[in-house]
Amino acid sequence: MATYDIVIRNGQVADGTGRKLFAADVAVKGDRIVAIDAPGTLRGDNEIDATGKVVAPGFIDVHTHDDTALIDNPTMAMKASQGVTTVVCGNCGVSAAPYVRPDVGHWMSLIIKKKENLSKDFASFAGKVDAAKPAINGAFLIGHGTLRINSMGDDLNRVATAGEMKQMRELLDQSLEQGAIGMSSGLFYAVSSHASTDEVVEVATPLGRWGGVYTAHMRDEGDHILKAMDETFEIGRRVGAEIIVSHHKCSGRSNFGRMKETLPHFEEAMKKQQIAFDVYPYVAGSTILRSDMLDRADKVLITWSDKVEGMSGRDLREIADEMGCSMKEAADRIQPAGAIYFMMDEKDVQAAMSHPGAMIGSDGIPFDAHPHPRLWGTFPRVLGHYSRDLGLFPLEDAVRRMTSYSAQRFHLAKRGEVRTGFYADLCVFDPATVIDTATFEKPISPARGIDTVICNGAFAWRDGKPGGGQAGRALNRQAMQAEDKA
Ligand code: ZN
Ligand code: CU
């Protein structure tokens, strides 16, 4: 009888496709899944008893800002503890490469804490990720905002010139050739809000040629969301790229209930082009502190402030009362800062999450002093709270939205399924107890019920702590395309 490196025995397999749970042993050799057979039949050097547990593909967090967290914090505990084995980085228009300026600057500091993590081209950045030997994989988008700062300097309140667009386009082209998986834009943000639709199209043109995806933090997620959706669809159509709309939400009390408009709008467009979206399972969002967002939120929590100490985790209303001024004035006084905004309708969040076009992404921000709980809680919350406790969708479907569907939409070859020949990215969890424990008050807290997480055949998380695995890698689009055809 063949002996394997690892055998996960007697588990219930949720294979990622949505197929009903089935009992099986799963065997790993090297970095691959090599056998799936009747319970109790496979033998390995390392046997894990998964009786009563679910064996799923490792989860794919399709919306992250973990670009340099993979380098600075290679155990990636905030993600590995949730069962995540691949993070898609570079979302919302901000990526760590390509970037030739000498300083990190304010915008880039959202995802970069160390100057040495700046990289002039994508290949050298990917090299830094590989050299850090992270516990989990990264796949990387190139940020349109990063390209803008790189090519336009501080003069961003205008459309790029033809020469600047050409430079950005060439940098994107080179990055895609070097293995980046696509481009993200964040037209909502000041660094990119003056970019025209035509500018984004001009820059994003290489996506069509390389088969890269286009992800969009849209220009508007509130009153003008339908118009912003049309702009996004137009960009994808004109460059010939598949679209992923980031963290789909209807933001602000006056827009509560508008999933009734946006979801059919998606469905109409989906008939003509490939479109999907990601969702995080919370009614609060988080980004930089912006005074124009204060009116829309029921409550605002400060996540960090570079100006005033002791602000992290506090309610802006209280800070304003203490300062004896308006919330807007208080916000101005503590800038630059980050915030959590309670600004979504629970019914909308559930409608988005359970839509056929939806996959799960955390949008966690790894370096926040008091992060949004989604950083540590997204995946167990979908499994435990939304699937098991609320019955929003069956467990098999919850797993599918975190694995095979995500891998297909981002073209991550041979990942996202428990299948022979696929990479050994696996998560063993207890379906009866799995739950997030991170809260808005205490956001840094690992999930309960996730026992074993394996990435490329190595333990990323085991028995409540990092498992010592260092087998994560920078996934290369070119290599994945070749593998897909093989
Ligand atoms: Zn975003
Ligand atoms: Cu984001």
Side-chain angles (χ1 to χ4, degrees), residues 181-315:
I181 63 164
M183 189 187 95
S184 74
S185 65
L187 301 180
F188 169 78
Y189 290 104
V191 295
S192 302
S193 61
H194 289 266
S196 62
T197 308
D198 287 345
E199 176 189 314
V200 182
V201 169
E202 274 303 309
V203 174
T205 302
L207 293 176
R209 180 153 76 96
W210 293 108
V213 296
Y214 171 55
T215 77
H217 180 157
M218 299 191 298
R219 209 180 277 282
D220 194 295
E221 295 177 310
D223 297 352
H224 309 292
I225 188 165
L226 295 178
K227 211 175 141 216
M229 288 170 73
D230 287 338
E231 179 184 37
T232 308
F233 303 159
E234 181 190 336
I235 293 166
R237 220 164 38 233
R238 284 172 63 188
V239 303
E242 298 184 4
I243 293 170
I244 294 106
V245 169
S246 294
H247 40 60
H248 182 45
K249 64 172 87 70
C250 295
S251 171
R253 185 159 283 282
S254 59
N255 293 302
F256 281 15
R258 289 192 66 198
M259 283 289 164
K260 285 197 187 73
E261 297 169 54
T262 61
L263 296 177
H265 203 61
F266 268 119
E267 287 156 20
E268 213 31 62
M270 281 167 173
K271 291 177 190 160
K272 289 168 249 158
Q273 60 192 124
Q274 179 57 249
I275 302 170
F277 55 87
D278 60 76
V279 182
Y280 51 78
Y282 296 88
V283 292
S286 179
T287 181
I288 46 174
L289 180 59
R290 274 174 58 152
S291 36
D292 65 331
M293 287 177 71
L294 300 180
D295 291 345
R296 285 201 246 148
D298 289 344
K299 183 173 154 181
V300 178
L301 289 178
I302 301 303
T303 51
W304 55 273
S305 163
D306 278 351
K307 180 98 151 279
V308 184
E309 253 176 70
M311 293 291 110
S312 295
R314 297 195 56 200
D315 191 325

